[in-house]
Amino acid sequence: MAFTPNCIDWAITLDMYDGMDSRVLKYKDELVSQGWRFFVVNQTRGRCYSYEKVITLPEWIYSKKDINYRNWYISHEMAHAYDMCKHSHGQEFMEWLKKICPYEYIHHELGYKPRNATQAGILFLEL
């Protein structure tokens, strides 16, 4: 039986990719083709479950944040999947994040893991 997380917000899950950047969607589609599933849930943060091939995203990123932030957040969780869910934010993870996340959104990583992001060459983008 497939793992399904608790507290799924199905209304948001069904439309979670609306407006997403095509580059982010390309990596998402690759993961889906490998059996990964994505859910929006009522929890405080996103999670990557490697054995279950599940990525969860908190519903607050859909109610309180704009599409640019969501592009980064989903990219961040997918980088964990491509990094084999080592649960670290080290160099290999950062390399995947830089591949997946478009440049104009990646600066959000500085608000989460500033030292690791800076060491990986992620800088604040001024528009």
Side-chain angles (χ1 to χ4, degrees), residues 67-80:
I67 191 68
N68 298 339
Y69 188 87
R70 289 193 299 267
N71 274 296
W72 162 75
Y73 205 106
I74 292 172
S75 297
H76 178 101
E77 293 307 326
M78 288 192 300
H80 282 300

Side-chain angles (χ1 to χ4, degrees), residues 98-121:
K98 290 190 305 188
K99 287 179 191 174
I100 298 167
C101 189
Y103 181 75
E104 59 268 28
Y105 314 130
I106 201 165
H107 68 277
H108 290 290
E109 189 69 21
L110 291 165
Y112 184 60
K113 293 289 183 182
R115 184 178 45 127
N116 298 33
T118 302
Q119 288 175 348

Side-chain angles (χ1 to χ4, degrees), residues 85-97:
C85 290
K86 294 176 184 166
H87 301 292
S88 84
H89 295 93
Q91 191 61 35
E92 186 177 351
F93 167 85
M94 290 293 170
E95 291 304 314
W96 276 110
L97 181 61

